[in-house]
Amino acid sequence: MRFTRLDDWLNWQEGLNPKTIDLGLARVQQVWQKLSPPDLAPSTVISIAGTNGKGSTVALFEALLGQAGYSTGSYTSPHLLCYNERIRLDGIPVSDEKIVEAFQAIDEARAEIPLTYFEYGTLAALHIFSRETPDVVLLEVGLGGRLDAVNIIDADLAVVTSIALDHQEWLGNDRESIGREKAGIFRPGKPAVFSGRDMPESIAREAKKRQAKLHVRGRDFDLDVCANHWNWRSPSRSLQDLPFPALPGRHQLDNAAAVLMAFELLSPAVVVRQTAIRQGLERVNLPGRQQVLEKDGVQWVLDVAHNPHAVAALQRWLQENPVPGRTLAVLGMLGDKDVAAVLALLQEQVQKWHFATLEDSRGLKAKALAGKAAAMPQSFSMEAHERVEKAMQAVAGEVEPGDRVVIFGSFHTVAGALKSPVINTG
């Protein structure tokens, strides 16, 4: 065995392929075919793509399916605190030992074929699921769709959650181009669901081209929001008086509606009754998505939102949930993100900004963030810090009961905050 410790495997993988992102299926497909067995049968497989909402959609599937008595295997990325979060069985991260065993099998199968860190993780998840055979496998697409490593698997159903501008370097500079890439997960004769709003025409064109049976929010299924509940309907079924998902934000209803449509399309192979739906909606949990912590009268909001579309959802939530005091922000972002648009969206909600350098090679320096803010026509009250931990300490020193701190911009930002003793009492 090359390594016995998971950390050693991960450190080695980071330097294995000189390309951090190396889109294409040929290498991954070749290695997958060498693994035994290279198959996920008899599991029902669901692929989830989209710009935002993928992780929430996977969490909703996990919660509702679990309440219905189905076992699940879930693959998501990135992680917050622990690599094992990426590969879950029944919502529980798998052990180091299982991942190490999978990595060793992949290493033996690949021979000299170069794989990226992400591709190793994808193959490890598939390898584990092929042996554990959960009832339903949930595969979150990491980047794009058509050329993402997850797409070597022919899913029984595909979900596209939303389309917005992100990762333009890889996916294209407009929503039509990005939509076309996301729709690459569609399969002939298999159902597909689009849960977002304002669907790009390219998704419908790709569905037709790939002979997938596309079901669109607002046309093939929809929802109504009431004061204390919501209703869901399709041409053949309606569900009344559903509880709001335990995940904050009304946009989670779009994700939940897609999950319910997926169950409709997978029946009778997968049957989730209304009792399980209600229980799952009430119990679903996903750290880092408008996650609210209270400490000493201060509200701490953690959100991995990192593009304008996701930050707009955060903005709406902040507006709908005011606090009596000030709102401050801790922001750290990667270099390929639209910083100016993000700052503009929250300029009315945030009274002071604490910019932080991320401990990632792609992260923007705090001074660069401050420079982008200074170049905007608006005036920002701000400080720059060399790490998220420093930003957390600084903001903790000036907040008072009734204030709110919003920590967002990247998984790295939220992870750094969760590790900080400022809010981590464990």
Side-chain angles (χ1 to χ4, degrees), residues 80-81 388-389 392 407 411-421:
L80 277 175
L81 299 177
V388 172
E389 170 58 26
M392 292 292 291
I407 304 153
F411 276 81
H412 299 285
T413 314
V414 173
L418 287 171
K419 296 173 184 176
S420 168

Side-chain angles (χ1 to χ4, degrees), residues 384-412:
H385 307 275
E386 60 184 16
R387 298 195 316 274
V388 172
E389 170 58 26
K390 294 290 187 181
M392 292 292 291
Q393 292 173 354
V395 76
E398 61 181 89
V399 291
E400 299 177 353
D403 287 347
R404 170 164 60 196
V405 180
V406 185
I407 304 153
F408 75 108
S410 170
F411 276 81
H412 299 285

Side-chain angles (χ1 to χ4, degrees), residues 263-320:
F263 293 152
E264 187 84 357
L265 296 169
L266 289 172
S267 180
V270 175
V271 177
V272 181
R273 305 196 185 283
Q274 188 161 351
T275 300
I277 291 171
R278 296 182 63 87
Q279 293 172 342
L281 290 172
E282 291 172 340
R283 298 177 187 182
V284 62
N285 176 61
L286 186 63
R289 276 69 167 184
Q290 294 176 13
Q291 179 183 1
V292 178
L293 303 175
E294 299 278 350
K295 186 176 181 182
D296 299 328
V298 176
Q299 183 185 89
W300 301 80
V301 181
L302 302 108
D303 198 333
V304 298
H306 54 270
N307 55 52
H309 184 265
V311 174
L314 174 61
Q315 177 199 41
R316 289 192 295 272
W317 186 88
L318 295 173
Q319 290 175 330
E320 294 168 359

Side-chain angles (χ1 to χ4, degrees), residues 225-243:
V225 181
C226 304
N228 299 310
H229 65 274
W230 64 291
N231 305 318
W232 179 91
R233 63 184 183 277
S234 72
S236 59
R237 188 185 184 198
S238 65
L239 299 172
Q240 305 294 317
D241 300 326
L242 295 172

Side-chain angles (χ1 to χ4, degrees), residues 51-314:
T51 305
N52 298 305
K54 299 186 296 293
S56 298
T57 300
V58 172
L60 285 159
F61 270 120
E62 277 183 332
L64 275 63
L65 287 164
Q67 291 300 315
Y70 291 99
S71 60
T72 58
S74 304
Y75 174 57
T76 60
S77 65
H79 60 275
L80 277 175
L81 299 177
C82 176
Y83 183 90
N84 309 56
E85 297 168 20
R86 297 178 179 226
I87 307 173
R88 302 189 296 274
L89 293 170
D90 296 327
I92 301 172
V94 301
S95 65
D96 285 9
E97 289 75 18
K98 283 187 183 295
I99 300 176
V100 166
E101 289 173 4
F103 282 162
Q104 180 61 30
I106 294 162
D107 196 39
E108 293 173 359
R110 76 175 184 91
E112 299 301 318
I113 300 171
L115 296 173
T116 66
Y117 176 95
F118 177 78
E119 290 165 346
Y120 247 101
T122 301
L123 286 167
L126 299 179
H127 189 65
I128 290 169
F129 298 154
S130 72
R131 278 153 175 72
E132 298 292 334
T133 62
D135 297 323
V136 180
V137 169
L138 305 163
L139 301 177
E140 178 190 328
V141 175
L143 177 64
R146 181 175 63 91
L147 297 177
D148 187 90
V150 165
N151 205 32
I152 63 173
I153 300 298
D154 292 326
D156 297 290
L157 181 141
V159 176
V160 175
T161 58
S162 65
I163 301 297
L165 296 180
D166 202 2
H167 300 297
Q168 291 99 309
E169 178 182 357
W170 304 101
L171 305 180
N173 292 320
D174 55 74
R175 293 179 70 250
E176 292 295 332
S177 299
I178 294 172
R180 184 165 51 252
E181 291 295 320
K182 304 288 185 185
I185 66 171
F186 295 168
R187 290 296 190 271
K190 299 295 184 180
V193 178
F194 182 79
S195 66
R197 301 165 188 265
D198 187 23
M199 185 181 75
E201 293 181 3
S202 59
I203 290 184
R205 288 196 298 268
E206 284 298 303
K208 183 177 180 180
K209 173 183 174 182
R210 296 172 182 273
Q211 299 179 312
K213 302 174 182 178
L214 180 62
H215 300 261
V216 180
R217 157 82 189 279
R219 185 190 72 189
D220 304 295
F221 66 101
D222 214 340
L223 63 91
D224 301 308
V225 181
C226 304
N228 299 310
H229 65 274
W230 64 291
N231 305 318
W232 179 91
R233 63 184 183 277
S234 72
S236 59
R237 188 185 184 198
S238 65
L239 299 172
Q240 305 294 317
D241 300 326
L242 295 172
F244 292 121
L247 302 176
R250 290 296 177 94
H251 62 285
Q252 296 295 354
L253 292 175
D254 296 338
N255 299 326
V259 170
L260 298 186
M261 189 66 215
F263 293 152
E264 187 84 357
L265 296 169
L266 289 172
S267 180
V270 175
V271 177
V272 181
R273 305 196 185 283
Q274 188 161 351
T275 300
I277 291 171
R278 296 182 63 87
Q279 293 172 342
L281 290 172
E282 291 172 340
R283 298 177 187 182
V284 62
N285 176 61
L286 186 63
R289 276 69 167 184
Q290 294 176 13
Q291 179 183 1
V292 178
L293 303 175
E294 299 278 350
K295 186 176 181 182
D296 299 328
V298 176
Q299 183 185 89
W300 301 80
V301 181
L302 302 108
D303 198 333
V304 298
H306 54 270
N307 55 52
H309 184 265
V311 174
L314 174 61

Side-chain angles (χ1 to χ4, degrees), residues 333-339 362-364 372:
M333 299 188 73
L334 299 181
D336 63 340
K337 305 305 176 186
D338 190 345
V339 176
R362 299 170 296 154
L364 279 174
K372 290 179 180 291

